[in-house]
Amino acid sequence: MQIDGRRATLGTLAVVIAASLFGILGPVSRLAGDRAGIETLAFVTWRSLLGAVVVGCLLAFRMSRGQPIVGVRAMSVRARSSLLVAAVSGVILNLAIFIAFARVTVALALLGFYTYPALVTLAVILIERRRPDRIQLAALAMATAGMAIVLLGGVDPASGLSFDVLGLVLALVAAVAQTVFVLVSRHGYAAVPIDQASFVVLAGGALGFLAIALLTGTGPAIVSPVSNPIAWSYLVAGGVLGAGIPTTLFLLGIRWIGGVRSGILALLEPVVGVLLAAILLNELLRPIQLLGGALVLSAAFLLQRTPSQPGPQAGPGSDARQGPAGQSGEASAEAAGAQPPPLV
């Protein structure tokens, strides 16, 4: 039985919106540093903290309507461990990629990081032992090529590319961390509502960054934005638009359309980031970059035209095991007529 086409469309839309909102983080973090003097660790800490507050409000609203959350004791060991892995992966991802930005050209760092859709695709193929989907592979190739054109097309030949081995390694570490996040979020804690899972990931990230600040003696830098009124506009933008909303939507998309499609669609993020940089930071936008953006959008259109694959039925309370078609347990449950976990 096919997955509901409406669900597939909404899942695609959720990832597209999430990728677009994640795309604001580059320009916003740059402005936060240049205009408000916010250091990288402070920015990522407040981003996670404010994002957790936003999602926490969603949780409180749901509870006020009599919809219970899933208690820690009610979660399976697998769900608890998967949530922990997702939170730790988020901390590693953010630290690695922002340090990479400081050591190599941003374009090279992003090229290294956005190998993760290919890593997710490869992991799913190996884990599920199934043949690659030709249309998805074609879309992945188109989107990756388009992303590379967008990023490298904006590099000034006069300035060249700043290369550092550690910086590139850290970008690849970030890609691996994101791959782990997508894979465990896809089926590791399916019984946990999406908003609750998003809250745990963001709050866990904030606690992780605070711990790092205490261990490294950079606590004052974390606190400094509190007394800086200019900083709050950037922190709120990063926390609400760049964390709370897109994290929840991205998790929703992973559950509804799978990790492979979500990863490919997420390649819209650097395209949006480059466009916003051209608008907000007056960075030059070249015609070849528009061509690269068109390739990414074409890949997204190709994915949306691909029919959803059938999946096995999943009984109530299943722990979202993967079927041979690569669907998560949530998709299989819907095919069987079960209700998906509530978002709010």
Side-chain angles (χ1 to χ4, degrees):
M1 184 179 295
Q2 297 288 341
I3 302 176
D4 191 324
R6 179 173 177 270
R7 179 169 179 153
T9 300
L10 291 176
T12 298
L13 181 62
V15 176
V16 168
I17 295 175
S20 300
L21 290 176
F22 281 136
I24 75 170
L25 288 173
V28 168
S29 63
R30 176 84 63 82
L31 291 172
D34 294 344
R35 298 183 181 180
I38 304 174
E39 296 184 12
T40 297
L41 185 58
F43 181 81
V44 296
T45 302
W46 282 99
R47 169 183 173 265
S48 296
L49 182 60
L50 293 175
V53 170
V54 170
V55 181
C57 291
L58 284 176
L59 276 173
F61 174 73
R62 182 158 66 85
M63 294 175 65
S64 70
R65 299 180 62 186
Q67 300 176 9
I69 63 174
V70 179
V72 175
R73 293 183 179 180
M75 296 181 191
S76 66
V77 175
R78 179 181 182 180
R80 289 196 297 267
S81 60
S82 295
L83 276 173
L84 177 62
V85 169
V88 172
S89 297
V91 172
I92 295 173
L93 155 66
N94 282 279
L95 284 179
I97 194 62
F98 277 106
I99 295 174
F101 285 155
R103 300 186 67 94
V104 299
T105 303
V106 172
L108 282 179
L110 289 176
L111 283 174
F113 173 65
Y114 281 103
T115 58
Y116 90 81
L119 295 177
V120 170
T121 302
L122 178 61
V124 170
I125 291 172
L126 293 177
I127 292 171
E128 298 174 3
R129 298 178 182 179
R130 63 181 176 90
R131 293 181 179 179
D133 184 311
R134 293 183 180 180
I135 295 181
Q136 287 184 349
L137 290 180
L140 175 62
M142 288 175 59
T144 303
M147 178 269 299
I149 291 173
V150 168
L151 294 176
L152 294 179
V155 175
D156 185 359
S159 61
L161 293 174
S162 175
F163 180 78
D164 174 79
V165 174
L166 179 59
L168 186 57
V169 168
L170 286 172
L172 294 175
V173 167
V176 173
Q178 179 73 344
T179 300
V180 172
F181 177 84
V182 170
L183 293 175
V184 299
S185 298
R186 187 166 174 248
H187 55 78
Y189 43 88
V192 181
I194 296 169
D195 52 352
Q196 185 178 350
S198 180
F199 175 79
V200 171
V201 169
L202 290 169
L207 291 175
F209 295 133
L210 286 173
I212 291 171
L214 292 175
L215 291 173
T216 58
T218 55
I222 302 295
V223 181
S224 62
V226 174
S227 58
N228 184 355
I230 300 177
W232 278 101
S233 59
Y234 301 110
L235 295 178
V236 171
V240 177
L241 299 179
I245 296 175
T247 299
T248 304
L249 290 175
F250 191 57
L251 287 175
L252 176 68
I254 291 173
R255 289 191 178 185
W256 282 13
I257 63 175
V260 174
R261 289 192 181 201
S262 296
I264 297 172
L265 291 170
L267 287 167
L268 284 169
E269 180 183 335
V271 176
V272 173
V274 168
L275 290 175
L276 286 178
I279 297 171
L280 300 177
L281 304 176
N282 296 319
E283 294 186 359
L284 179 64
L285 186 64
R286 299 174 179 174
I288 192 172
Q289 292 176 288
L290 296 177
L291 173 62
L295 280 175
V296 177
L297 292 175
S298 298
F301 178 77
L302 180 62
L303 281 178
Q304 183 58 19
R305 298 288 295 178
T306 305
S308 301
Q309 297 296 324
Q313 293 188 356
S318 65
D319 201 15
R321 302 298 199 273
Q322 293 301 111
Q327 294 177 309
S328 64
E330 294 84 358
S332 301
E334 164 139 31
Q339 293 296 320
L343 173 59
V344 293

